[in-house]
Amino acid sequence: MSKRNLALIGATIVSIIYGVTFTIAKDVMPLFIDAYGFILLRVGGSVVLFWLIWLFMPKEKIAFNDFPRIIAAAFFGVAFNMLTFFKGLSLTSPISAAVIMVSTPMIVLTLSAIIMKERMQKRMVFGIVLGLIGTAFLILYGKSIGSATNAGLGNFLVLVNAISYGFYLIIVKKLMDKYNAFTFVKWIYLFGFIMVLPFGWSQFQAVEWNLVPMDICWKIGFVVVFSTFLTYLLNLLSMKELKPTTVAVFIYLQPLFATIFAISLGKDELSLVKIGSAVLIFVGVYLVTQKKN
């Protein structure tokens, strides 16, 4: 099997893991552990894993003037990003959260135009507008079943998370060009852990671990090891063989896998609003990502 095919398989596995994570994480919060306490667990576990694997990687020295960028990447890519996502997911449904995350490529394009002064075509602007309309409908009118205690606020926080992640992708780009990823990712997660510690410590302490079922412990481990650590490794493998735009396309599979998994377990249900919003977002993403003829 060629390296390219392996990379494609790796990118698909990442989408499957992320799609499954929406429902698995939803089973953990907020019943057994609140969102911020769960974030502390996820980031703390990932810090340990990234620093351990760094021991076996080529060593590079990071320039001192690159640490402000690393700290900014930690804020937008770990702390603010994860805090808003998990809090939003704890309030909304897996399908709604997954569909909103598909707007990430459009958000990145918009931020690139604003921050990096990249020129956008009319087709792209129209696609962005369609995607934002779809996202707005999902936030305002997307009703959810199960433990979606405040779907409107939850969907809004997931959208804020997507915007934060868009900032992160722009900030981290120069680091990716300059260093091996393992050289700086351990620092990003370490600074991110420090940032989420004040928010998650009290919720982490409040967990009654003797009352947490073993299957929930396995789901917590899944989010730490697979949804964070393994997905990052597989993305590295994919990005070595594929163009970043190709890898980014795989984010569009996440709502599909999230929907199939959530509905198969009876955790969520489809509605006309969700389907319509998804169609608008997918059409918008398609228009944005098409190459110019």
Side-chain angles (χ1 to χ4, degrees):
M1 187 176 293
S2 68
K3 290 183 178 180
R4 177 179 173 80
N5 287 338
L6 285 174
L8 291 171
I9 292 173
T12 303
I13 292 174
V14 168
S15 293
I16 294 173
I17 292 174
Y18 280 144
V20 169
T21 298
F22 288 101
T23 296
I24 289 181
K26 184 71 176 175
D27 287 342
V28 178
M29 358 168 261
L31 183 59
F32 297 100
I33 180 171
D34 283 330
Y36 294 163
F38 198 7
I39 288 296
L40 187 64
L41 266 178
R42 180 180 182 180
V43 177
S46 299
V47 166
V48 174
L49 293 174
F50 281 125
W51 277 86
L52 283 176
I53 199 170
W54 171 77
L55 297 175
F56 305 96
M57 294 294 159
K59 304 299 184 290
E60 289 180 295
K61 186 176 181 180
I62 298 177
F64 183 77
N65 59 359
D66 283 327
F67 273 97
R69 181 175 292 272
I70 289 175
I71 293 173
F75 175 77
F76 288 108
V78 177
F80 191 59
N81 171 38
M82 291 189 182
L83 289 172
T84 52
F85 173 71
F86 268 59
K87 185 62 176 179
L89 183 58
S90 70
L91 298 173
T92 189
S93 71
I95 293 179
S96 295
V99 170
I100 291 174
M101 285 303 298
V102 179
S103 63
T104 299
M106 293 183 291
I107 292 171
V108 172
L109 182 67
T110 304
L111 293 176
S112 297
I114 296 173
I115 298 174
M116 304 176 69
K117 307 300 181 183
E118 292 185 4
R119 187 176 180 181
M120 287 195 298
Q121 303 172 34
K122 292 181 179 179
R123 165 179 50 82
M124 294 181 175
V125 175
F126 181 63
I128 290 172
V129 172
L130 280 182
L132 290 179
I133 291 174
T135 304
F137 266 100
L138 193 59
I139 290 174
L140 296 175
Y141 304 109
K143 304 299 182 183
S144 302
I145 64 171
S147 54
T149 55
N150 192 337
L153 177 59
N155 292 339
F156 174 74
L157 289 175
V158 173
L159 177 62
V160 172
N161 147 78
I163 295 172
S164 176
Y165 188 67
F167 275 111
Y168 163 75
L169 291 178
I170 294 174
I171 291 170
V172 83
K173 188 177 185 302
K174 289 187 177 180
L175 295 174
M176 291 289 293
D177 294 338
K178 192 173 182 179
Y179 302 106
N180 179 292
F182 287 104
T183 299
F184 63 83
V185 71
K186 65 183 189 298
W187 287 108
I188 287 178
Y189 269 83
L190 179 59
F191 287 127
F193 176 76
I194 295 172
M195 292 175 187
V196 301
L197 189 59
F199 296 92
W201 180 247
S202 60
Q203 293 185 2
F204 175 75
Q205 282 187 311
V207 178
E208 299 181 26
W209 291 103
N210 59 314
L211 300 180
V212 178
M214 184 55 63
D215 66 309
I216 297 298
C217 291
W218 281 111
K219 289 176 180 179
I220 292 173
F222 177 91
V223 172
V224 173
V225 178
F226 289 90
S227 304
T228 308
F229 180 71
L230 181 60
T231 53
Y232 191 87
L233 294 182
L234 290 175
N235 269 330
L236 287 178
L237 170 65
S238 301
M239 291 180 70
K240 285 183 179 180
E241 303 297 330
L242 305 173
K243 295 180 180 179
T245 50
T246 304
V247 175
V249 168
F250 282 84
I251 196 174
Y252 310 150
L253 295 177
Q254 291 182 28
L256 173 63
F257 295 128
T259 300
I260 293 173
F261 190 71
I263 292 177
S264 66
L265 296 180
K267 303 291 184 181
D268 208 340
E269 64 181 6
L270 285 174
S271 68
L272 290 178
V273 170
K274 289 175 183 175
I275 295 173
S277 298
V279 170
L280 286 174
I281 291 175
F282 277 116
V283 171
V285 168
Y286 174 81
L287 292 174
V288 168
T289 56
Q290 287 301 293
K291 292 183 178 179
K292 185 178 180 181
N293 293 330

